[in-house]
Amino acid sequence: MQYFQAVQQGKQRASKSQMKMFEVAGFSMLTLTTKKVDGSFQPVGEEELTAVIDSADGYVAIIVDNDGFTKAQSKAVEKEVALSIFKKLRDSGIEEYPGKEIQIWSETRPTIQNEVSSSS
């Protein structure tokens, strides 16, 4: 697939995820539209899974494909707010991403929605 085709197809897929995030969070940012697989660009997957990550600015609820490539994200918020957005996404029918790491921009970040709270 040519890069331009991958971008176009990936943008359509990521835009759908962005709208779902917007519906539950009131804000959503498009993140990745392509991923590199075996040296060639592919569009992000159609699948929608959700997780929470810790970013430099706070916690972020995300929607990813099966490979953990982020398609949409909430704004950076407090951990409890991000987990609440994650729960709303789950309640809307989006399954939890089972992996331990996701790819956002050029970074790999661990998922945190299953961390055991130290205040429990």
Side-chain angles (χ1 to χ4, degrees), residues 38-120:
D38 297 327
S40 67
F41 285 99
Q42 300 291 321
V44 289
E46 290 186 66
E47 321 81 32
E48 291 183 318
L49 303 163
T50 184
V52 176
I53 60 169
D54 185 2
S55 74
D57 299 320
Y59 292 88
V60 179
I62 56 172
I63 297 177
V64 300
D65 69 6
N66 279 346
D67 295 326
F69 285 86
T70 307
K71 302 191 295 178
Q73 71 172 61
S74 70
K75 61 184 171 183
V77 293
E78 296 293 323
K79 186 175 185 178
E80 296 74 27
V81 176
L83 289 170
S84 173
I85 295 167
F86 166 79
K87 184 179 183 323
K88 288 177 187 175
L89 289 167
R90 295 276 293 117
D91 291 346
S92 77
I94 297 176
E95 293 185 26
E96 180 178 339
Y97 176 66
K100 300 288 185 213
E101 292 184 331
I102 58 89
Q103 184 72 30
I104 185 165
W105 309 117
S106 60
E107 299 178 353
T108 301
R109 292 216 169 256
T111 58
I112 63 99
Q113 69 272 9
N114 293 316
E115 282 184 350
V116 177
S117 176
S118 58
S119 60
S120 298

